[in-house]
Amino acid sequence: MARTLIRNAQAVLPGDGIHSSSGTVDLRHVLIEDGKILDADASSTASCDHLIEADDLFLLPGVIDDQVHFREPGLTHKEDLATASHACAAGGVTTFLEMPNTKPPAITIEGVQAKEALAAEKSLVNYGFYIGATPNNVAELNAAQNVPGIKIFIGSSTGNLLVDEQAALERIFAETTLPICAHCEDETTVRANAERLAGTTDIHDHSRIRDEAAAVISTARATGLARRHQHRFHVLHVSTGAELVSLVDPSPYLTAEVCPHHLFFNVDDYDRLGSRIQMNPSIKTAEDNAKLWQALQDDVIQVIATDHAPHTLEEKAQPYPQSPSGLPAVENSLALMLNQCNAGKVTMPQIAHWMSDAPARVWGITGKGRIANGYDADLVLVRMNSERTIRDEDQHTKNRWSPWNGETLRGWPVTTIVNGSIVWSIDGGFREKIRGQKPTFDHARGGFWNTADGIGPTNA
């Protein structure tokens, strides 16, 4: 069992876990053995087979992105598990959880297992796949094991993945046990707005069709179901300040997330970026940006995830509303937050909490999300004084573009470690033979609110 010592790193260590600012940063030597952290406070002279000198570098737990669309199978002209996992590795993302709206959709156990098999063959980083809900697949949802959870599209989907009827939603919340997440936009509101604005070719109308009311109505509906049925529920991509009223009342059943595009972009950016920032839920106002940042600071929102959902630039260049919604983000999300840290707006422990520890706890991913003894050695070394400009042509995502094209950020990953092995470094590139693993999802641990001290190793 080979040992690796990361020496002289400024390690970002967990606090009590509930409050995002409670962690610490401390000079540490971290010893890794057999893919796990053997000693998070080792001696600088500990015996090892491989030495990583981390002077002037910060060591964070690897990012867990709990909402991505990697398009395989069926839509691989947009992205696939190989290209997407390369983008993850270069961005410090060591685990992703992928959504079920592929072709065919992952709405059966066999469908989920088929995607797991593809990832085992192709992915450089760790992976998990949600099972998708339909109006009539409760039996499949209950038979699924060792998956992150159930995904419901309460809006913004078509065919059998759209679950909008109240009776079907009641069945899913009442009769299943896996944690649930959902895309919350009220279909009735969206369709009425679309009819009112029929014929528009103005990209600004996307945020008028998928407006604040659509998000607020659907989030209130879904969180109400979760409270009434006492079912763990995670609100995906909160986009408005008005939705927060459904989250501020503490509940052991509710958690929520926000995405970088809803933190950094608003409707004023359509003139500059057009359909590059066309998303579902839509971009909202600068006031919403500020309220979402504050919700993170106040622990009302627990997770940052990307909703990475690439399309080709040719597809995005179509006139609205033919242009599809979605953007790539996995390789820049951590750098965006590190840049905010350099600006004094967030702290390193907050970043580790929002992007690593909290998603591990929400989805019961054992041994992930913290730098602590016994945890998996999923780690990222970052250089906080490194400046780099995001450029379309440098992206590793298949479509080679970013909505942040041209922006210069300070603070970037330089080495990504997955299960104890370096999978990417700024100097050495990718280690193409490395493959990630499917983690263990232990929902008996009770989710975010019941794991304040971390989700713990698999054998804890």
Side-chain angles (χ1 to χ4, degrees):
M1 292 186 290
R3 287 187 174 187
T4 298
L5 180 66
I6 302 174
R7 190 159 64 188
N8 291 323
Q10 294 289 332
V12 183
L13 304 169
D16 67 10
I18 295 295
H19 301 291
S20 60
S21 60
S22 64
T24 59
V25 179
D26 192 22
L27 181 67
R28 290 291 180 93
H29 320 292
V30 177
L31 187 61
I32 299 167
E33 182 180 82
D34 196 27
K36 303 203 179 279
I37 298 172
L38 182 66
D39 192 345
D41 193 14
S43 166
S44 63
T45 59
S47 175
C48 65
D49 302 285
H50 307 287
L51 178 64
I52 299 174
E53 294 285 11
D55 302 272
D56 302 321
L57 300 179
F58 285 79
L59 181 67
L60 288 90
V63 172
I64 299 171
D65 193 333
D66 80 355
Q67 189 189 180
V68 302
H69 302 263
F70 283 172
R71 307 302 193 195
E72 188 169 8
L75 298 164
T76 52
H77 71 285
K78 302 174 189 283
E79 190 77 280
D80 60 52
L81 290 166
T83 57
S85 68
H86 280 70
C88 284
V93 177
T94 54
T95 301
F96 67 80
L97 306 183
E98 209 259 355
M99 290 299 168
N101 56 330
T102 45
K103 291 186 177 181
I107 57 176
T108 64
I109 297 168
E110 290 77 11
V112 172
Q113 290 174 339
K115 292 173 77 169
E116 291 172 347
L118 286 170
E121 177 185 345
K122 297 183 176 186
S123 181
L124 300 183
V125 301
N126 303 317
Y127 50 85
F129 297 93
Y130 296 92
I131 186 168
T134 75
N136 51 19
N137 74 335
V138 165
E140 288 287 336
L141 302 180
N142 276 327
Q145 296 181 354
N146 199 27
V147 298
I150 296 166
K151 167 67 180 290
I152 309 178
F153 288 89
I154 311 177
S156 192
S157 192
T158 57
N160 60 358
L161 274 176
L162 178 62
V163 184
D164 192 45
E165 295 294 330
Q166 188 67 22
L169 289 169
E170 295 280 358
R171 277 197 307 275
I172 295 167
F173 275 88
E175 298 177 17
T176 66
T177 58
L178 287 171
I180 295 171
C181 61
H183 180 122
C184 295
E185 286 186 289
D186 182 63
E187 274 293 299
T188 300
T189 300
V190 170
R191 290 173 182 174
N193 289 338
E195 185 175 344
R196 177 172 54 84
L197 293 168
T200 184
T201 59
D202 183 357
I203 189 66
H204 294 79
D205 282 336
H206 190 68
S207 292
R208 299 180 182 115
I209 292 170
R210 295 184 174 276
D211 63 3
E212 175 186 271
V216 170
I217 291 167
S218 187
T219 297
R221 180 189 189 189
T223 55
L225 281 161
R227 292 178 193 273
R228 184 154 39 83
H229 291 288
Q230 299 185 358
H231 197 127
R232 278 169 48 203
F233 179 67
H234 186 65
V235 184
L236 298 172
H237 41 45
V238 177
S239 63
T240 76
E243 287 171 89
L244 300 174
V245 70
S246 295
L247 301 170
V248 292
D249 181 22
S251 167
Y253 307 108
L254 297 179
T255 50
E257 76 183 35
V258 66
C259 299
H261 48 271
H262 290 128
L263 292 171
F264 291 102
F265 297 131
N266 58 66
V267 291
D268 297 333
D269 294 310
Y270 278 129
D271 288 335
R272 178 170 61 93
L273 294 170
S275 62
R276 282 200 177 206
I277 57 168
Q278 179 186 333
M279 290 293 296
N280 301 337
S282 67
I283 304 300
K284 303 301 195 300
T285 68
E287 182 181 2
D288 288 305
N289 295 150
K291 289 180 178 178
L292 294 173
W293 278 111
Q294 191 60 50
L296 278 169
Q297 297 282 353
D298 294 341
D299 302 310
V300 175
I301 293 176
Q302 293 75 35
V303 172
I304 294 175
T306 64
D307 196 13
H308 177 97
H311 303 277
T312 68
L313 276 176
E314 290 75 17
E315 290 168 334
K316 293 291 277 186
Q318 295 177 94
Y320 184 79
Q322 282 74 43
S323 50
S325 296
L327 57 80
V330 292
E331 62 197 286
N332 298 312
S333 59
L334 177 57
L336 286 163
M337 297 307 297
L338 296 174
N339 189 62
Q340 293 293 298
C341 182
N342 271 319
K345 296 180 180 179
V346 302
T347 69
M348 295 289 273
Q350 285 178 319
I351 294 172
H353 174 77
W354 296 327
M355 302 187 80
S356 304
D357 182 52
R361 289 160 49 199
V362 168
W363 301 111
I365 312 175
T366 59
K368 304 287 188 191
R370 291 189 168 204
I371 299 175
N373 291 356
Y375 277 67
D376 296 341
D378 293 340
L379 304 164
V380 56
L381 284 160
V382 305
R383 180 170 285 117
M384 290 301 287
N385 62 0
S386 173
E387 282 196 359
R388 196 188 314 166
T389 300
I390 298 173
R391 302 191 189 282
D392 284 349
E393 59 268 25
D394 297 333
Q395 303 302 291
H396 294 97
T397 185
K398 180 175 279 191
N399 290 298
R400 306 290 294 275
W401 67 273
S402 167
W404 289 279
N405 176 56
E407 293 196 25
T408 299
L409 306 179
R410 187 164 174 256
W412 283 91
V414 295
T415 302
T416 301
I417 298 170
V418 174
N419 301 314
S421 297
I422 295 175
V423 68
W424 170 86
S425 68
I426 190 69
D427 296 322
F430 298 98
R431 292 183 63 191
E432 298 289 355
K433 292 184 179 180
I434 299 296
R435 289 294 178 268
Q437 300 173 5
K438 176 185 173 180
T440 298
F441 301 95
D442 187 353
H443 300 302
R445 303 284 180 97
F448 178 84
W449 298 108
N450 290 305
T451 51
D453 293 325
I455 190 64
T458 302
N459 59 358

